[in-house]
Amino acid sequence: MPCGQKTESGFSAALRDGRHLRTCQYRDSANLNARAELHRRFSTAGTRWFTWVFDQIVSAPGRDVLELGCGPGGLWLENRERVPADWRVTLADFSAGMLDEARANLRSLDRDIAFAGADAQRLPFSDACFDAVVANHMLYHLEDVGQGLSEIRRVLRPGGLLFAATNGANHMRELGDWVRRFDPDTPVGSTAMVRPFDLATGLAQLAVHFDDVRLARYEDGLAVTEVDPLIDYVRSTPTGKQLDPATVDRCRASLEQMLSDEGVLRIHKETGMSAAVRKPGEESAG
Ligand SMILES: C[S@@+](CC[C@H](N)C(=O)[O-])C[C@H]1O[C@@H](n2cnc3c(N)ncnc32)[C@H](O)[C@@H]1O
């Protein structure tokens, strides 16, 4: 499927079609960065997201840590001073472009980080070789989330931990509502993406392969005072790329008016991270 083209299979194809994600949406970090920039500039949280994520994982027992869907390596770059000296870190992503950027971004860390091209549903690692796996905003992209979770369980050692971050069904709902006024048929924003594994639906899926599933919520929101970063966010999403330019222009004009009337555009967020312990027993939970 070419980037940004509507297809018969509709929007879900772009959101969970591995080939499309790997070669278009996440060919490099440009789309991800446009979204991260909105959060970075207008977040109301007291703690930065990657700092908060690292707070959750830093005390994990063991040394062998895998991040799946690492993107350009932001988690490790932002926490470069905090990575325990004895950790052996492996970063995996199925996008060659993302891995290249992660390698370049983390070169200055002066650590022996391993990089692997890997689809989370078919991991190229032997059984029981990691103590912790981090999957930060990536499980909702899998065509078969259960298969991905089964693979994560397989590569974890007994007692190993999975840390899985995702969004809730109402995450950034306002943004989707604003765009829908101009194109009711195109769902935009994270609400279009999270259903396969969101804060609510993810817990039951985790419980198939993991025990002691605990969810920590990240309290945050956006107070946006510029329209361009919002439009950049919309146009970075698989569905937003399919909006026609006239629709984007009408949406931009409406947001400019709202901002001028209200002084700030408030967007509510639902984000968090589950920690879960690998179930004991057979190597494969099936
Ligand atoms: C939303 S980005 C998150 C990147 C990074 N974890 C972060 O938070 O900045 C999702 C990442 O998961 C990767 N990804 C998506 N599906 C994948 C799969 N099946 N196997 C491996 N990586 C995948 C994408 O290439 C992309 O880098």
Side-chain angles (χ1 to χ4, degrees), residues 15 18 21-22 25-28 32-33 35-36 49-50 53 67-75 92-96 98-99 116-123 134-143 165 193:
L15 303 173
L21 290 169
R22 199 174 62 248
Q25 173 62 209
Y26 295 125
R27 180 179 46 203
D28 57 36
L32 180 66
N33 288 345
R35 298 196 286 277
W49 167 249
F50 280 140
V53 169
E67 185 185 7
L68 278 178
C70 62
L75 177 64
D93 202 293
F94 72 174
S95 157
M98 288 290 200
L99 276 181
D119 185 329
Q121 296 153 119
R122 286 172 290 279
L123 291 176
V134 180
N136 182 8
H137 285 130
M138 66 82 61
L139 288 171
Y140 48 63
H141 283 312
L142 303 190
E143 286 160 61
M193 305 180 67

